[in-house]
Amino acid sequence: MLTLPRYLHSLEQFHSVRTPQELTQLLSSVGQALGYDSIVQGLQSYSRQGGLHVDSTSVISDKWHSHYLKKNYYKIDPRVHHCARHTTPQRWSSADLYDHPRAAQMMQEAHDFGVRAGIYAPTHSMDGRFSLLCLSLRHVPLAEAQDLVLHTAPLIPALAAHAHEAVLRMLRADAEQEPVLTRRECECLQWAAAGKTSWEIGLVLNIAERTVNFHLSNAMAKLGCHSRQHAIVKALMQGLCGGGGDDDTGGAAPHAIGGTVTGLAANTELVLNNNGGDALRINANGAFQFAQPSTGYRVEVATQPAGQNCKVANGSGSATAPVADVQVNCAAGTGGGDTGPVITAGIAGLLGEWQQNSCVAAGGGQWARNYLRPVQVNGTTLSHVQGLGLFGNSQCSGAGTVLGGTSLGQVAFSRSESNASVAANWGTFRQITGLTSQAIWAKRGENTLCLLGDENPSILPTLARVAAALDTLPASACYSRL
């Protein structure tokens, strides 16, 4: 008979297990001492998108479980799917009835192999995988088998947890090296962990949506994961991000970033940013260099010189050595500074009537588009009043019926910036429900308005970043002035 002290001593032995053979022998010994005929342990992963995957299995002298795996019964086994979503063990017997035809067939075949009753005990890991410890009895009266399972059930979760840790320890020891993620793969995973969609991540990182999906797919393949959520948990919670990489220079030493300015007029000032910060004020042509070295760089014009437009060439990439070939070329034009036509910023530039450029089917042979009418509350706050226009055609043209104008909440702006092509207003949107979020109301010229979501701190902190974000938006997402 297995006494409690002997059982606890057996659990301690799992800490010294180093090979699959040792684990098999120890599980077999403990299982038999508990009164069971068979023990099977499987390490598995589960996702709603990818379903169930068996990563490794330890089978202990058991013909039924060999047959079970060969027929892929684990994919339809209700007991397994229960354990994939729960932490509590599930007792079962051959008398259980299942509606699924294959599940019913599985139980009938188990009975034919002499299986009478048992227990499935799951143990879940942070990386999305779980171990399933399956103990069963053979060729005994059903009532006797059920009674043994009932009385040993409180002991099984501890056994399952110790076996699970032993399997993970062996897998880590067998791995030749940890998977190394590139900087860009980690950035995509981190923003995905914050709840961003691929499109939103692309907006933040200024890359295409398909490029985001490419990096996430690469990360999932490297980590051996079957879903984005699985990869997020494994990479972030196990500290796998921050390592080196092939083309993204993750973990590489930072290098100086610089280049040359040409065409800058006398007595004017140009302000450049690198990676959204590290502002560099330039008052003369020639070489320049940012104060902060970096492994990746994105040089942008933060403020144009008076009466000029400056454009950046060779302005982004990975720095595997000092960078000195960024080219900033300035020419006469309607730039920033104190002269030249600048887009109206602040609340004054937002007031008026606006209509959204998209026209969508509204049912009943009608089409609809949104109307926006900002109403000034005070010097820094406006009310977001929105109405709906109904039309009888798919172009939303001609005379339509405008339904009401309801305030969705108020936007309190904290700062505004503008140049000759773009104006941006950063603020906090407080909805009528009480929920708050960060927002940017940006204009492309005087007659196009786009409402952008933001974070705190801002993910689009500069006018150049806002302009780049506007370039990725479809026209249908913005409003035109009436």
Side-chain angles (χ1 to χ4, degrees):
M1 178 179 180
L2 183 62
T3 63
L4 183 58
R6 284 185 58 198
Y7 178 69
L8 296 177
H9 175 70
S10 297
L11 295 183
E12 288 297 321
Q13 291 181 296
F14 281 94
H15 296 301
S16 59
V17 167
R18 292 292 180 267
T19 67
Q21 293 77 14
E22 291 178 0
L23 177 60
T24 295
Q25 292 173 1
L26 184 55
L27 277 173
S28 178
S29 174
V30 177
Q32 290 175 5
L34 288 170
Y36 289 94
D37 300 310
S38 170
I39 298 183
V40 176
Q41 184 194 43
L43 183 64
Q44 308 177 57
S45 56
Y46 177 83
S47 71
R48 292 185 182 277
Q49 294 81 13
L52 191 68
H53 295 263
V54 175
D55 299 323
S56 66
T57 305
S58 298
V59 180
I60 303 171
S61 305
D62 188 275
K63 293 182 179 180
W64 159 244
H65 278 98
S66 297
H67 175 77
Y68 176 93
L69 292 173
K70 183 178 181 180
K71 298 291 287 282
N72 290 327
Y73 278 144
Y74 65 88
K75 293 184 178 181
I76 53 90
D77 191 339
R79 300 164 299 181
V80 173
H81 288 271
H82 165 88
C83 291
R85 298 176 175 87
H86 300 84
T87 59
T88 54
Q90 187 175 54
R91 302 194 308 270
W92 58 271
S93 77
S94 58
D96 295 341
L97 300 177
Y98 296 113
D99 294 332
H100 193 289
R102 285 203 69 206
Q105 178 185 347
M106 172 192 70
M107 293 305 293
Q108 179 59 52
E109 292 178 7
H111 184 273
D112 294 342
F113 271 84
V115 181
R116 295 295 178 262
I119 185 170
Y120 279 26
T123 305
H124 292 262
S125 295
M126 292 189 306
D127 63 1
R129 293 182 294 181
F130 71 98
S131 276
L132 190 56
L133 190 66
C134 310
L135 301 94
S136 58
L137 292 110
R138 305 285 197 273
H139 305 292
V140 296
L142 179 60
E144 180 181 333
Q146 290 175 318
D147 185 65
L148 187 141
V149 172
L150 178 64
H151 284 86
T152 59
L155 303 176
I156 304 306
L159 176 61
H162 281 75
H164 177 73
E165 286 298 321
V167 170
L168 294 185
R169 186 171 60 251
M170 286 186 290
L171 289 176
R172 286 193 294 267
D174 289 342
E176 294 182 359
Q177 61 179 9
E178 290 282 7
V180 177
L181 302 180
T182 67
R183 174 179 57 83
R184 188 65 88 191
E185 288 164 358
C186 279
E187 288 174 339
C188 291
L189 284 171
Q190 288 164 343
W191 282 112
K196 298 295 182 186
T197 65
S198 294
W199 182 86
E200 291 170 325
I201 296 170
L203 186 64
V204 173
L205 300 179
N206 198 24
I207 58 179
E209 181 179 358
R210 64 178 179 274
T211 305
V212 173
N213 291 330
F214 170 78
H215 287 306
L216 290 173
S217 295
N218 278 351
M220 289 165 57
K222 289 180 180 180
L223 298 172
C225 297
H226 307 290
S227 71
R228 181 178 297 194
Q229 292 74 20
H230 185 182
I232 290 169
V233 172
K234 186 169 184 178
L236 302 185
M237 297 193 72
Q238 291 192 358
L240 297 179
C241 277
D246 42 13
D247 58 347
D248 282 322
T249 67
H255 294 282
I257 308 299
T260 305
V261 175
T262 59
L264 181 63
N267 301 317
T268 59
E269 180 178 79
L270 165 69
V271 181
L272 299 178
N273 280 350
N274 182 30
N275 294 327
D278 196 12
L280 177 63
R281 297 181 180 277
I282 299 175
N283 303 100
N285 293 310
F288 68 87
Q289 182 174 301
F290 287 95
Q292 300 297 325
S294 60
T295 57
Y297 60 100
R298 184 179 298 279
V299 178
E300 301 166 315
V301 177
T303 303
Q304 295 281 5
Q308 288 191 294
N309 278 323
C310 299
K311 296 183 179 181
V312 179
N314 302 325
S316 63
S318 299
T320 57
V323 174
D325 62 349
V326 178
Q327 300 292 323
V328 182
N329 303 304
C330 302
T334 54
D338 298 325
T339 63
V342 176
I343 304 301
T344 307
I347 288 181
L350 301 173
L351 300 178
E353 302 282 344
W354 304 81
Q355 69 174 13
Q356 194 164 16
N357 295 327
S358 63
C359 180
V360 298
Q366 292 187 308
W367 284 261
R369 71 166 18 130
N370 288 320
Y371 284 85
L372 175 65
R373 181 169 58 87
V375 176
Q376 186 168 353
V377 176
N378 55 45
T380 60
T381 305
L382 58 76
S383 178
H384 181 155
V385 178
Q386 192 158 309
L388 184 69
L390 294 178
F391 298 83
N393 58 80
S394 59
Q395 291 76 41
C396 292
S397 59
T401 302
V402 178
L403 304 179
T406 303
S407 176
L408 303 183
Q410 294 186 349
V411 186
F413 294 104
S414 56
R415 65 186 179 100
S416 301
E417 293 183 26
S418 64
N419 58 25
S421 58
V422 175
N425 306 275
W426 289 263
T428 301
F429 179 34
R430 181 176 295 278
Q431 302 177 42
I432 57 175
T433 60
L435 297 176
T436 60
S437 59
Q438 303 305 119
I440 302 173
W441 287 37
K443 293 194 304 178
R444 175 74 76 183
E446 293 289 2
N447 298 315
T448 299
L449 173 63
C450 305
L451 310 186
L452 305 175
D454 199 16
E455 301 282 346
N456 186 16
S458 178
I459 59 176
L460 300 172
T462 67
L463 195 59
R465 284 290 183 90
V466 173
L470 293 180
D471 288 340
T472 69
L473 288 178
S476 59
C478 298
Y479 292 80
S480 296
R481 188 186 294 276
L482 292 175

